[in-house]
Amino acid sequence: MSLKRKILELQKKREKVLQGGGEKAIEKQVAMGKMTARERIITLLDENSFHEYDLFVEHEARDFNMDKKTLHGDGVIIGTGTIFGAPICIYAQDFTVAGGSLGLMHARKITKIMDHAMKMRVPIIGINDSGGARIQEGVNSLAGYGEIFYRNTIASGVIPQISVILGPCAGGAVYSPALTDFVFVVDKISKMFITGPEVIKTVLGEEISMEDLGGARVHSEITGNAHFYAESEIECFDQIKKLITYIPWNNSKKAQPFDAKEPKIDQYKIDEIVPGNPKEPYDVRDVVRAITDDSDFFEIQELWASNMVIGFGRLNGQTIGFVCNQPLVLAGVLDVDSSCKAARFIRYCDAFNIPIVTLVDLPGYLPGVDQEHAGVIRHGAKVLYAYSEATVPKVTVILRKAYGGGYIAMNSRHLNADFVFAWPGAEIAVMGPEGAANIIFRKEIMEAKDPEKMRKQKVKEYKEKFANPYVAAAKGYVDSVIEPEETRKLLLHAIEVSQNKVDRRPIKKHGIPPF
Amino acid sequence: MTKKKVETEKANDLLEDKDVSKIRYSSLMLQVQGAKYKTLLTEKYKNRKKWEKPDVNQMFSDIPGTVVKIYVEEGQKVKEGELMMVLEAMKMKNKIYFPVDGTVKKIYVKEEERVPKGFLMIELK
């Protein structure tokens, strides 16, 4: 056979495999409103940048007549490519091939590309669209999952790991996304759960749809398992592309710098956003946008625990992680969910050399039996742990209220913040004036002729004396009381002078954070 | 380098800022440490369960399953540690014992009945 004929043969073989599960299966996939696995990769990556490997991999299962079945690529596509020039390793499960079910060779392909990403120190993106374990392959498919989870864990904090849920992702399969850094979901397409509606119906007799049990909305709003919610696959891919521009390729690098840009100060007037009365709400994201380059803020977990706002912005072209209390929602309190949300993000930023800016305005912790019984002590401790542990530049701006334990937790000087600034309206105190006056002046209030009048007077007295930034500034807990308009200038400076920060910790295998 | 710059410009324009209205809120006040704050409450916060003091005389199912056998009758005196029933759940036949002494006031389940989690099965007096 001449080389030319051999090339023709290769082309034919390729063509056959590239059909995936065949026309009918592709039609079904399209009818479900989904793109095919290869389309997804090509849409997500830079044009012509994708190169596929292991196209001719075949499964070795022999039981249950599997030896008579050919599964093209064993139901998963792996390869490398670029996003805005950044090198990427990627895999996408192909639902058209045996429902994207995970067998031994399918898993081998995934672990191969994961190992490659680790060696090359580049981000890995996994697109999940699978019915679950390939039952015919028995324990071999479980082995496959386990080997993926192990790699997810080892790669954690070394290379960025992104999971995209574009179809079902059920049972054990959900733990790979759960171990990765960012999970993307799409409305009506993503479904994640440990036990599906069928099992719940059999065991509990409760009927629930897949959407209500583990749809995109559920994971974005209630469980917090997802970080980004999109209405279409295209929007989801745009979110991934945008995220990639903010994060470094690995933990030994910094994110790619952008050109510095001034914020849109006509649109976001920093001294007009925060009301003087600490009980009035505002959107803290407007403060972030008044500070960041081009007023750009890329929010993470927007719909879950919205009383805490986290996300990326840039200062002087450099990626910054923002952690902010959100007075607009639940008065910006710390609670179980918001603590988990902030703590994990702080650890992400620390792992990937991203400086953290914290904007503080909170009344304290959310009171309630449900919170206490849900373990707000254990979960709240995560925030303290994450801030104390972080060695990246840490800058705090106290916008308004900073009371009690909340003040300590939100990257205070005492947790080793590098810079703490406070706006002149800041109230840094052991607790809010109302609560404090009720305790300190309890006797006077009780014994007064008009207790309510006395209470009000004492609250006012306390406010004047203690509800300001100067008591803390007098002790050096606040480095500088600044005008709101000076915020960006000072943050740029703080980040600039922190570029060579060295903060060494005692050598240990690892800490024991309150997981 | 010029190519890179164009790309970063594109990255900036990828997504429009989203509207807060996507979040389902309702406006209300929240009380923290004696002060009332004007703010929005989330659905999750509003749907939180109110706490009630548990009644030691009420035996609830800890796990969804099927009642296989009941060892007591209504009116029967029982002692702490006495076998109450076998509840088959998660492929296991679980023996359930009385946690306190008392008299069986009412049995709300039958043998072979399927019960969800947190279902009142037996009440003592």
Side-chain angles (χ1 to χ4, degrees):
Chain A
M1 218 190 323
S2 72
L3 183 59
K4 248 190 194 161
R5 284 185 64 185
K6 283 187 176 172
I7 291 172
L8 269 175
E9 191 192 350
L10 167 67
Q11 287 172 345
K12 264 194 186 161
K13 271 183 178 256
R14 262 193 200 154
E15 221 170 276
K16 204 171 172 195
V17 178
L18 288 175
Q19 288 168 347
E23 257 175 58
K24 266 194 182 163
I26 291 172
E27 267 174 37
K28 260 193 196 165
Q29 178 86 349
V30 174
M32 283 187 278
K34 302 197 291 188
M35 292 164 92
T36 63
R38 236 172 235 98
E39 278 172 358
R40 284 166 172 168
I41 294 177
I42 288 163
T43 314
L44 175 61
L45 300 185
D46 292 340
E47 221 175 320
N48 297 323
S49 77
F50 179 60
H51 294 281
E52 183 173 346
Y53 315 115
D54 282 358
L55 197 62
F56 301 128
V57 159
E58 283 175 19
H59 70 80
E60 289 167 0
R62 293 291 167 262
D63 301 327
F64 309 108
N65 281 334
M66 282 297 283
D67 47 346
K68 296 189 186 82
K69 277 186 191 158
T70 313
L71 303 178
H72 290 150
D74 210 37
V76 64
I77 297 162
I78 67 167
T80 49
T82 59
I83 291 179
F84 290 122
I88 300 286
C89 284
I90 190 164
Y91 69 85
Q93 292 178 309
D94 187 348
F95 198 79
T96 67
V97 179
S101 61
L102 184 137
L104 184 66
M105 293 312 286
H106 179 121
R108 285 261 166 87
K109 283 178 75 172
I110 294 177
T111 53
K112 181 178 182 179
I113 200 70
M114 289 174 85
D115 289 342
H116 188 78
M118 269 299 269
K119 268 189 287 181
M120 303 305 154
R121 291 288 196 265
V122 298
I124 174 108
I125 299 175
I127 300 180
N128 293 258
D129 186 3
S130 162
R134 196 175 296 155
I135 312 291
Q136 294 87 338
E137 294 200 26
V139 74
N140 276 332
S141 74
L142 298 184
Y145 279 120
E147 284 163 24
I148 295 169
F149 303 158
Y150 174 76
R151 281 166 177 78
N152 282 137
T153 309
I154 300 306
S156 179
V158 181
I159 52 171
Q161 300 187 82
I162 291 168
S163 298
V164 197
I165 315 300
L166 295 179
C169 178
V174 295
Y175 284 116
S176 175
L179 288 164
T180 60
D181 308 331
F182 297 107
V183 177
F184 290 76
V185 292
V186 176
D187 188 33
K188 295 188 184 73
I189 291 177
S190 313
K191 270 131 202 132
M192 289 174 90
F193 36 72
I194 298 280
T195 50
E198 282 300 312
V199 177
I200 290 182
K201 199 182 162 186
T202 322
V203 177
L204 299 169
E206 286 172 10
E207 273 193 60
I208 187 162
S209 69
M210 277 200 206
E211 198 63 36
D212 290 334
L213 180 65
R217 195 91 211 179
V218 169
H219 289 303
S220 313
E221 218 176 87
I222 299 172
T223 67
N225 288 333
H227 298 78
F228 294 95
Y229 169 89
E231 259 142 29
S232 67
E233 293 192 21
I234 298 290
E235 188 193 354
C236 172
F237 296 149
D238 281 351
Q239 290 172 337
I240 298 168
K241 284 185 212 173
K242 183 144 181 162
L243 175 68
I244 289 290
T245 70
Y246 285 100
I247 57 179
W249 299 354
N250 61 56
N251 68 338
S252 68
K253 284 194 157 49
K254 284 191 172 181
Q256 298 283 98
F258 269 49
D259 290 336
K261 262 187 169 176
E262 284 302 306
K264 296 167 184 162
I265 47 171
D266 303 335
Q267 209 175 328
Y268 301 102
K269 296 191 171 72
I270 195 157
D271 46 3
E272 289 176 14
I273 299 167
V274 180
N277 180 352
K279 287 167 199 157
E280 290 287 326
Y282 64 93
D283 191 342
V284 75
R285 293 174 292 189
D286 289 343
V287 180
V288 177
R289 293 195 178 100
I291 296 168
T292 54
D293 287 8
D294 202 25
S295 292
D296 182 47
F297 179 52
F298 188 51
E299 192 175 351
I300 301 165
Q301 289 178 315
E302 180 189 349
L303 304 172
W304 179 61
S306 326
N307 39 325
M308 181 73 79
V309 168
I310 58 170
F312 296 120
R314 291 191 181 87
L315 291 176
N316 219 357
Q318 188 183 343
T319 299
I320 305 287
F322 283 89
V323 180
C324 325
N325 307 120
Q326 171 62 293
L328 186 67
V329 181
L330 292 178
V333 290
L334 276 170
D335 59 4
V336 170
D337 286 351
S338 64
S339 296
C340 295
K341 179 176 172 179
R344 189 155 191 243
F345 182 64
I346 293 160
R347 297 194 92 203
Y348 185 85
C349 291
D350 190 44
F352 287 99
N353 315 309
I354 298 168
I356 301 163
V357 168
T358 305
L359 303 183
V360 185
D361 188 348
L362 85 165
Y365 288 84
L366 181 64
V369 181
D370 60 318
Q371 282 295 312
E372 298 293 342
H373 288 188
V376 69
I377 296 176
R378 178 165 56 94
H379 295 294
K382 292 176 184 173
V383 180
L384 298 165
Y385 196 102
Y387 270 127
S388 302
E389 174 194 48
T391 55
V392 288
K394 299 182 286 189
V395 189
T396 301
V397 184
I398 300 172
L399 305 178
R400 213 168 50 167
K401 307 173 296 293
Y403 300 147
Y407 154 72
I408 308 170
M410 292 307 289
N411 196 34
S412 61
R413 157 66 16 85
H414 325 296
L415 302 185
N416 222 357
D418 297 307
F419 296 95
V420 181
F421 304 120
W423 284 9
E427 299 187 358
I428 306 165
V430 68
M431 62 197 299
E434 286 81 3
N438 280 343
I439 294 169
I440 299 170
F441 307 110
R442 181 187 222 118
K443 229 177 150 191
E444 282 104 312
I445 293 171
M446 261 168 55
E447 286 166 1
K449 263 190 203 157
D450 184 347
E452 197 44 36
K453 198 177 154 196
M454 180 60 103
R455 205 182 67 84
K456 273 191 181 149
Q457 190 196 318
K458 290 295 177 192
V459 168
K460 202 174 157 232
E461 265 179 48
Y462 184 89
K463 236 183 204 170
E464 277 162 12
K465 264 196 192 152
F466 299 103
N468 61 56
Y470 302 106
V471 182
K475 287 277 179 290
Y477 301 152
V478 166
D479 296 310
S480 190
V481 182
I482 62 171
E483 290 175 36
E485 281 199 2
E486 297 174 305
T487 308
R488 178 174 158 90
K489 195 179 74 189
L490 273 156
L491 285 177
L492 290 182
H493 178 74
I495 298 298
E496 198 191 333
V497 298
S498 306
Q499 292 296 332
N500 294 313
K501 181 181 174 185
V502 178
D503 188 358
R504 292 223 167 84
R505 297 300 152 90
I507 294 167
K508 53 182 161 182
K509 194 171 166 195
H510 54 67
I512 304 136
F515 268 6
Chain B
M1 264 334 271
T2 33
K3 197 184 156 214
K4 180 106 215 165
K5 262 182 197 162
V6 176
E7 281 173 346
T8 53
E9 281 293 325
K10 256 198 276 174
N12 262 341
D13 295 339
L14 267 180
L15 298 161
E16 292 291 301
D17 280 341
K18 274 184 214 156
D19 200 353
V20 196
S21 62
K22 258 178 88 174
I23 310 170
R24 282 181 272 168
Y25 299 117
S26 73
S27 193
L28 250 161
M29 308 288 275
L30 183 72
Q31 189 156 341
V32 185
Q33 287 185 0
K36 277 184 183 160
Y37 295 90
K38 218 186 269 176
T39 191
L40 301 170
L41 301 182
T42 55
E43 287 293 311
K44 193 169 175 177
Y45 176 77
K46 287 196 298 176
N47 292 339
R48 72 195 187 285
K49 270 196 184 141
K50 285 257 150 52
W51 185 77
E52 278 168 32
K53 198 172 164 56
D55 182 347
V56 289
N57 285 324
Q58 292 181 332
M59 315 292 147
F60 292 95
S61 53
D62 288 329
I63 191 169
T66 308
V67 178
V68 176
K69 190 157 178 57
I70 301 171
Y71 290 93
V72 291
E73 289 170 354
E74 284 177 11
Q76 187 181 328
K77 274 198 177 148
V78 295
K79 283 224 165 328
E80 180 188 333
E82 199 176 323
L83 188 59
M84 180 200 305
M85 65 164 71
V86 172
L87 180 69
E88 188 173 345
M90 295 308 292
K91 303 162 187 106
M92 294 272 289
K93 289 194 165 81
N94 306 286
K95 285 179 180 167
I96 316 240
Y97 302 93
F98 283 101
V100 288
D101 295 350
T103 308
V104 178
K105 186 175 156 194
K106 195 158 173 57
I107 300 176
Y108 296 93
V109 290
K110 292 193 296 284
E111 286 179 2
E112 278 168 52
E113 187 177 332
R114 222 161 52 186
V115 292
K117 186 186 167 180
F119 189 80
L120 179 58
M121 300 191 295
I122 288 179
E123 203 172 356
L124 299 182
K125 61 184 170 193

